[in-house]
Structure formats: C-alpha cells, structure tokens
C-alpha cells in the first residue's frame, strides 16, 4: 500500500516557514524536497521504477499549502465497547479528512486497555480498518503499576496514560503512592489527565438538580486542575521520570509549569477546544453540552494565556482530545450528559484560522502537530517533510473559508461546537504512505493505516 508521488508547485510548510518547493515521495518515503523537481534525476528514476507499478502519480498543488501529515496524540475512538459513539474506522477516517495521518488512541474503552491482551485486541481491530496510522495507550492502574515498565515497550504502544481525576470510563489513579509506583516503573514519558479527584468529589456533592452546563468550569474549577498539576510537578521532580500533562486548561497551570522550569522533564499538551472556545458563551444556547469536556473550557483570560503558550513554545503539542458521544447522550441534562468533544477533523482548519487571525504561524502548526508529538512520544519517521520521513502529507487550500457543515463530517458524533464557525483553510487532499488516501470528501481505496513506530 506504499506509493510514489510528486507533489508539484505548492508551498511547503516546515519548522522554518513556508517555501515554494516540490515534494517527491518514493515507495512511501520522502525522497527529495526542493525547487521544481520535474527534471530531477530522482524523479526520472522514480518514473521509470514506478512505470511497472502503475506510474508515478503527480499532484498539482499550485496555490496550496503542503503540510507534513499531522499526528494527533490524543483521541478516543471508543472501540471496543462504545462503538455507538465512534469506532476505529469512522474515527480514523475523520482523522484522515482533517489531514491527520497518525493517531494515538486513549485506553478508556470497554474493556479498558490495561494489559497486553487488550492492547493486542486493538491492533487486531485496527489492521485493515484504520484509515490513518495508529498507536494505542496503555492505561495505568493500581493493579498493573509494576508491569507497565515491561509492557510500555510493546511495538505500537504510545505509552502510559493515567487518569488522576474521574472522567469518561473507570480508569482512575487518584493517590500519590500509586502514581509514584507507576512513575518509578519504566522509562517512557507518562501522560496524565490532571484533575484532582478528591476535590472533584467535593465539587459534585449536593449539586442542585437544575444546574446549568455553564457552571461546568466552576464545578471542575481551576483549583481541581492546579492541585493535580502541582502534585505532578512534585512527582516528576522527585522521581526524575518525564511526564506529559494533557489538555492543560488554565493560565495558572501554564504559569506553574514555567515557574518550576523543569525543562524537558515536563511537557504540555493543549487542545483546540481550550484555544478556540470560550466560556461562558460556548455553554449558552440549545446545545451547551456540546462544548462540555474535561477539563472544562474556561474564560477568555485563560484562553489568552493558552494561546501564548501555543505560540511561544511553552506547549509541546496540540492534541484534539477527540471524544465523541452520541447526540442522545449529549442531550441528557447537565451534569448527566457526558463530557467530550469530537475534534480530530477540525484541528487543522482551526489552527489555519489562527494563522489567518494572526496569533499563530504556519510553522507553529508543524511544531505543535508534527515535530512536537514526535519528540514527546519518541515517534519514528513522522517528522517534517525531509528525505527519509514517512510520505504523509496534508494539502490545504488556504483560500477556502467554509463552515464545518460544508464538509463531510465523518465522526459518528454528528455534532460539534464549531458548527457555525467559518474556518479559513481546509485540507483538500491527504497523502498516506505516498498514496492519495483522501480526496473530494471521501476515502480513496481501502483503509491503509499502519502501526506507528516508536524509537
Ligand atoms: O471530556 C473528556 N472526555 N475528557 C476526558 O478526559 C475523557 C473524554 C472521554 O473519553 O469522553
């Protein structure tokens, strides 16, 4: 399923900026990036070699931006156990449509992914059905803490994920002694959902029956997040184990991470939801729960600091935290409606809109969505477009200003808090392993995702 293609005449986005260049991919790997490669000996050789295998594809990218395919390091594709919300086929297709050529999927499925057997089951399910490349997290628990150091090296395992606060599903490690056991077993960076469960319990106690979803960020308040993040910073320092704090939601946590200045020991992920949605407005109206996620979307003052952290390099990655629920589930009254937003398909258009609006640069998208996940998780081959990298490309038309409704929305969730947003710049073609895999709103050929490799 590997292909050869010359992407001609586009503007290639790298960590250094944007340049008019061609990209040659041969047998699924980037072979050359440079000015007008039509007469390059490598292109001629690829033509000849590919002739027997059906020819070298040529894609005219004039007027388009050519991004390396994105890696989304936080998605929930719900399989097994909750496939009425999403499954590996639909979630990975939504990813591909959004220029996301690799995803790392979270362990809060049914059953939880907390053993070699449940991990192996996900790989079996993904083979031949996932439309983009895949890796899966192992959930850290009280019972498996001592075994994680061995299991984290399973090929295709994205690493260990720990829920410090209750969210969707039953995975939970609320206490420091177990957290410390997990951190002292193994080497790879451990990822955390950072909300303090003791405080969450207190905050949910005695809520009035008619509480509105706009109270969500006040119930799961900044203190819930700060307490857990402070504990994590202490634990990282005490154990020397690298940690990654997922979906940071508050200015206070960003300041705390900066003040502690623990360098590469502590890395931070942001989500588009905390960068583009704003309380209280996002919770108003008929579908307020569509914007409900954990940790919650907060107000403008937090959003501004998170945007700065995205632009100035404080944050290492952006993950969508794609966490779909069905329309019926979301329609339940707060606080019984589940938390989570479908977002894997809208990350890139949202970030392109941030570039249009002037608070992010194209090269920041490559840093946060390609090089960042690569560095944080030790991914092989999924870097910026350079010889030897995997031939994954997201081709974007920056002149298209559309709403989400104008594009096929592949998540089974069927709802998004970005429904009315006019977003600037949309992926038009996604190339996976050197083959056009998504075009004109549809999958091209059979799903061709492969396991992601970690070094
Ligand atoms: O809002 C959320 N939804 N936050 C999480 O941490 C989990 C996720 C889900 O799986 O639904």
């Amino acid at each position: 399923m590997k292909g050869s293609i010359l992407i001609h005449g586009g503007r290639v986005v790298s960590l250094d900026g944007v340049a008019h260049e061609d990209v040659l991919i041969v047998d699924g790997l980037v072979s050359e990036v440079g000015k007008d490669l039509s007469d390059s000996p490598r292109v001629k050789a690829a033509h000849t070699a590919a002739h027997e295998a059906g020819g070298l594809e040529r894609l005219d990218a004039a007027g388009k931006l050519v991004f390396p395919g994105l890696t989304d390091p936080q998605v929930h594709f719900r399989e097994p156990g909750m496939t009425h919300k999403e499954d590996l086929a639909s979630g990975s297709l939504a990813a591909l449509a959004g220029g996301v050529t690799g995803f790392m999927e979270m362990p809060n499925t049914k059953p939880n992914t907390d053993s070699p057997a449940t991990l192996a089951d996900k790989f079996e399910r993904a083979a031949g059905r996932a439309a983009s490349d895949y890796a899966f997290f192992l959930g850290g628990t009280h019972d498996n803490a001592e075994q994680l150091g061995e299991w984290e090296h399973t090929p295709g395992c994205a690493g260990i994920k720990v829920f410090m606060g209750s969210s969707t599903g039953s995975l939970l490690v609320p206490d420091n002694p177990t957290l410390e056991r997990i951190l002292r077993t193994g080497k790879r960076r451990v990822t955390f959902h950072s909300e303090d469960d003791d405080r969450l319990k207190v905050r949910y106690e005695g809520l009035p029956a008619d509480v509105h979803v706009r109270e969500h960020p006040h119930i799961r308040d900044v203190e819930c997040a700060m307490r857990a993040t402070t504990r994590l910073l202490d634990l990282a320092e005490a154990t020397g184990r690298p940690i990654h704090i997922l979906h940071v939601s508050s200015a206070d946590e960003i300041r705390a991470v900066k003040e502690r200045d623990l360098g590469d020991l502590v890395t931070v992920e942001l989500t588009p939801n905390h960068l583009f949605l704003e309380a209280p407005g996002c919770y108003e109206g008929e579908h307020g729960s569509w914007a409900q996620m954990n940790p919650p979307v907060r107000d403008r003052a937090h959003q501004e600091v998170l945007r700065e952290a995205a632009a100035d390099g404080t944050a290492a990655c952006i993950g969508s935290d794609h966490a779909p629920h069905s329309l019926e589930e979301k329609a339940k009254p707060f606080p019984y409606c589940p938390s989570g937003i479908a977002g894997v398909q809208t990350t890139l258009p949202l970030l392109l809109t941030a570039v249009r609006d002037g608070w992010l640069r194209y090269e920041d998208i490559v840093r946060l969505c390609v090089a960042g996940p690569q560095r944080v998780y030790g991914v092989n081959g999924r870097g910026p477009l350079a010889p030897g990298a995997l031939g994954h490309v997201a081709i974007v038309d920056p002149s298209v200003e559309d709403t989400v409704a104008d594009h096929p929305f592949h998540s089974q969730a069927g709802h998004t808090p970005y429904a009315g947003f006019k977003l600037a710049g949309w992926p038009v073609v996604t190339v996976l392993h050197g083959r056009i895999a998504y075009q004109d709103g549809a999958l091209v050929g059979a799903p061709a995702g492969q396991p992601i490799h970690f070094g």
Side-chain angles (χ1 to χ4, degrees), residues 33-48:
V33 180
K35 298 250 173 270
D36 197 356
L37 296 182
S38 297
D39 295 325
S40 143
R42 282 211 182 93
V43 168
K44 286 186 179 146
H47 256 303
T48 317

Side-chain angles (χ1 to χ4, degrees), residues 44 84 93 100 102 171 215 253 280 333 370 380 414 422 436-438 442:
K44 286 186 179 146
H84 65 288
L93 181 59
V100 173
L171 284 170
E215 294 308 316
E253 290 166 277
V370 180
N380 288 342
K422 193 145 209 192
I436 292 178
Y438 188 90

